Amino acid sequence: MRALLSVSDKTYLFELATRLHQLGFELISTGGTQKAISEYGLPVKNISEITHFPEILDGRVKTLHPAVHGGLLGQSSLAEHVAQMEMHQLERIDVLAVNLYPFKETLRRSDADFETCIENIDIGGPAMLRSAAKNFHDVIVLCDPADYLPVLDDWEQQNLSLSQRKALAAKVFRHCAAYDALIADFLTQELFPEKLTLTFEKTQQLRYGENPHQQAALYRHPLHHRTSGISNALQLHGKTLSYNNLQDANAALQLLAEFDDDITAVAVKHTNPCGVGRGNTAAAAFEQCYQADPLSIFGGIVAINAPVDEATALQLSDIFLEIVIAPQYSETALHILKQKKNLRILQIQLPLQRQHTHIAMIEGGLLVQESDSRTAAREDLRQMSESSASEEHIAAALFLWKVVKHVKSNAIVVGSVQRTYGIGAGQMNRVGAASIALEQAGALAQGAVLVSDAFLPLRDTVDIAAKYGIRTIVQTGGSIKDADSIQAANEHGIALLFTDIRHFKH
């Protein structure tokens, strides 16, 4: 019996090599792996003794040889294979343990240049793994150190079933596919290539999905260290995050990423913001956020882009929240928040980053688009009405415009330069969304700003806004009935501004 070991990750190599030797396997190896096994005091042959060909091209070619792949691919159940192997003096390889050059780890290094990354692309390793996995009936193939000893236990006790061998082979092909996907992503320059290769690593089995009858798991990108999103957050306290928690927390951070320069607090419920506030301190920002919707924030998620101090923690602890997210917490603040046994406390990196693309699953496929990174600047606002917006209302419009792009369409947000007053989300018609936002704002709508994520198809939204006392409306423009909305604004003395930017969110 022979075993070929060639691993860059030496975890459990000593245990594996020792056990195989004790079981009577002849050990074959390459380079650094052979050196390590020799230092363990175990007999091991270099691969060149099997191939009768030296390693060449700086080690790029060493295992790509019929003596290796013939030993891995020959099927013992086929007489023709057995005869050919005897004719060409090819010996069977019964166990293969390979993990690949550390390409992922190289990408993570800040000092790794392009050529260094290229040299860490493994060629022989994937080829051997694929050969062994294809012939899983005859070859025990191992790519994960965690499998080494349990598999050998089962093999020694003659309990290694065909289904287990098949599962090991499937794991190998996933391993190789993920490896190739990282390489493809590294080399790809197109935003939408002809084939989309994605790879993610399972980090957690969740209790359930959106509902208790649905199973769920969390997967993270192999290079998650480059992101500052929810998948890279550090949990300091509280229950394990659920599927819905992660969805809501992700929505909160995507909205918070809009506010790089201002201390801002956002509250999210069912992936929609229910309140957004700004202030000179974290406590002031949260107070504005809370006052935006004291009812809906109950059981919600709050994210703040400033350190949480004692004053902020006392405010947060006064209400029931599922999650609090911030870049930093004072020792006193943590002590206060940890009194809530089930409150999840998450710490994030700043600045928050936005993804370049957004991916959505549909039946049988994926939708991929550029992320919505646009927002309106002052020069984008076109005055369309006879009345002009004040400087304060323009500043409020730019603030609220960042909020409305994160509200499900149809979306209407009412507010001021400091906070939202009312949010209407996901309605089947725009005037319905406006009615919800205005009703929530109530008396605060008097003299406030209303923004819409898309054009107003009819004048009805302007008319209802006027009844609540709205003084400035911001919308995209582009409706065939823009003139009707402009006329309505003029009739009511409302300043109407167009952005020519739409922010549908489905």
Side-chain angles (χ1 to χ4, degrees), residues 236-237 308-314 316-317 328-341 343 345:
L236 304 178
H237 178 72
V308 171
D309 56 12
E310 179 180 1
T312 314
L314 286 170
L316 291 165
S317 65
Q328 193 176 339
Y329 301 84
S330 71
E331 187 175 337
T332 305
L334 271 180
H335 176 74
I336 293 168
L337 293 174
K338 284 182 177 181
Q339 301 309 303
K340 301 263 188 175
K341 184 176 69 172
L343 175 66
I345 304 173

Side-chain angles (χ1 to χ4, degrees), residues 420-440:
T420 58
Y421 294 153
I423 297 175
Q427 297 306 299
M428 283 61 74
N429 62 78
R430 194 154 298 277
V431 71
S435 297
I436 291 171
L438 290 163
E439 183 178 349
Q440 184 184 25

Side-chain angles (χ1 to χ4, degrees), residues 99-119:
N99 52 60
L100 307 176
Y101 288 177
F103 182 75
K104 176 178 69 175
E105 291 74 15
T106 304
L107 289 182
R108 288 179 170 180
R109 285 168 40 193
S110 58
D111 63 336
D113 58 19
F114 181 82
E115 290 303 322
T116 300
C117 293
I118 292 296
E119 287 307 311

Side-chain angles (χ1 to χ4, degrees), residues 28 64 157 165 180 226 291 369 403 472 485 492:
I28 307 164
L64 298 171
Q157 296 167 18
R165 288 173 173 266
D180 286 343
R226 293 184 178 178
Q291 292 299 334
Q369 66 171 345
V403 177
T472 297
S485 294
H492 299 299

Side-chain angles (χ1 to χ4, degrees), residues 378-394:
R378 197 185 194 290
E379 57 269 22
D380 295 313
L381 302 178
R382 293 194 294 127
Q383 182 176 311
M384 306 302 295
S385 58
E386 296 170 355
S387 298
S388 301
S390 67
E391 287 301 317
E392 182 181 359
H393 275 195
I394 289 174

Side-chain angles (χ1 to χ4, degrees), residues 5-312:
L5 316 180
S6 182
V7 296
S8 61
D9 179 359
K10 304 299 190 292
T11 303
Y12 298 133
L13 175 62
F14 170 77
E15 292 84 353
L16 174 65
T18 301
R19 185 75 175 280
L20 287 168
H21 174 65
Q22 292 171 345
L23 291 171
F25 282 85
E26 179 184 42
L27 303 182
I28 307 164
S29 194
T30 61
T33 307
Q34 181 198 8
K35 181 181 178 183
I37 294 173
S38 295
E39 289 174 352
Y40 301 151
L42 299 172
V44 57
K45 287 185 177 181
N46 186 274
I47 193 70
S48 61
E49 297 181 60
I50 307 302
T51 63
H52 305 292
F53 198 89
E55 295 184 13
I56 61 172
L57 305 179
D58 298 320
R60 284 187 169 199
V61 178
K62 51 182 177 257
T63 60
L64 298 171
H65 193 279
V68 174
H69 290 276
L72 293 171
L73 284 165
Q75 293 181 264
S76 61
S77 60
L78 295 180
E80 183 179 357
H81 280 204
V82 173
Q84 288 183 22
M85 291 182 73
E86 289 177 353
M87 180 175 62
H88 295 290
Q89 298 182 324
L90 301 177
E91 294 187 51
R92 182 171 311 287
I93 297 172
D94 305 282
V95 174
L96 178 76
V98 170
N99 52 60
L100 307 176
Y101 288 177
F103 182 75
K104 176 178 69 175
E105 291 74 15
T106 304
L107 289 182
R108 288 179 170 180
R109 285 168 40 193
S110 58
D111 63 336
D113 58 19
F114 181 82
E115 290 303 322
T116 300
C117 293
I118 292 296
E119 287 307 311
N120 277 278
I121 296 176
D122 202 329
I123 303 300
M128 289 191 292
L129 284 173
R130 290 171 63 86
S131 292
K134 179 175 180 177
N135 196 24
F136 65 85
H137 290 79
D138 286 309
V139 184
I140 299 172
V141 58
L142 303 166
C143 65
D144 183 351
D147 292 330
Y148 293 169
L149 299 185
V151 168
L152 285 183
D153 285 341
D154 287 339
W155 180 84
E156 188 176 12
Q157 296 167 18
Q158 298 184 340
N159 289 330
L160 189 63
S161 66
L162 185 61
S163 63
Q164 285 176 280
R165 288 173 173 266
K166 184 178 178 182
L168 290 170
K171 191 171 191 177
V172 161
F173 283 112
R174 292 195 301 270
H175 183 62
C176 292
Y179 193 80
D180 286 343
L182 269 182
I183 297 168
D185 185 58
F186 173 68
L187 294 173
T188 297
Q189 297 180 0
E190 303 96 320
L191 185 60
F192 304 113
E194 79 291 343
K195 286 185 172 61
L196 185 63
T197 53
L198 304 173
T199 182
F200 292 84
E201 299 170 346
K202 184 178 176 180
T203 60
Q204 185 181 343
Q205 183 74 34
L206 302 176
R207 289 176 59 203
Y208 52 80
E210 284 182 299
N211 300 291
H213 60 273
Q214 296 170 267
Q215 296 185 57
L218 171 63
Y219 288 79
R220 185 162 57 185
H221 192 276
L223 301 180
H224 65 88
H225 69 289
R226 293 184 178 178
T227 71
S228 58
I230 187 59
S231 66
N232 212 25
L234 175 64
Q235 185 166 353
L236 304 178
H237 178 72
K239 295 190 299 183
T240 302
L241 292 167
S242 71
Y243 180 95
N244 290 339
N245 289 156
L246 289 162
Q247 288 273 46
D248 287 339
N250 182 61
L253 292 184
Q254 287 181 328
L255 172 53
L256 199 62
E258 299 286 346
F259 304 100
D260 298 329
D261 303 323
D262 303 309
I263 298 178
T264 306
V266 306
V268 167
K269 208 64 180 294
H270 305 303
T271 72
N272 271 308
C274 57
V276 181
R278 299 195 291 189
N280 294 325
T281 65
F286 174 69
E287 179 61 22
Q288 294 286 352
C289 173
Y290 173 77
Q291 292 299 334
D293 191 346
L295 180 62
S296 298
I297 199 174
F298 182 86
I301 290 174
V302 170
I304 305 173
N305 61 1
V308 171
D309 56 12
E310 179 180 1
T312 314

Side-chain angles (χ1 to χ4, degrees), residues 384-385 455-463 473 475 477 479-492 494-496 498:
M384 306 302 295
S385 58
F455 63 64
L456 306 182
L458 299 168
R459 63 172 287 163
D460 49 9
T461 299
V462 181
D463 290 332
I473 294 175
Q475 58 141 318
S479 167
I480 59 173
K481 295 190 176 182
D482 276 346
D484 292 351
S485 294
I486 294 170
Q487 180 180 343
N490 289 334
E491 291 174 8
H492 299 299
I494 293 174
L496 180 61
F498 283 7

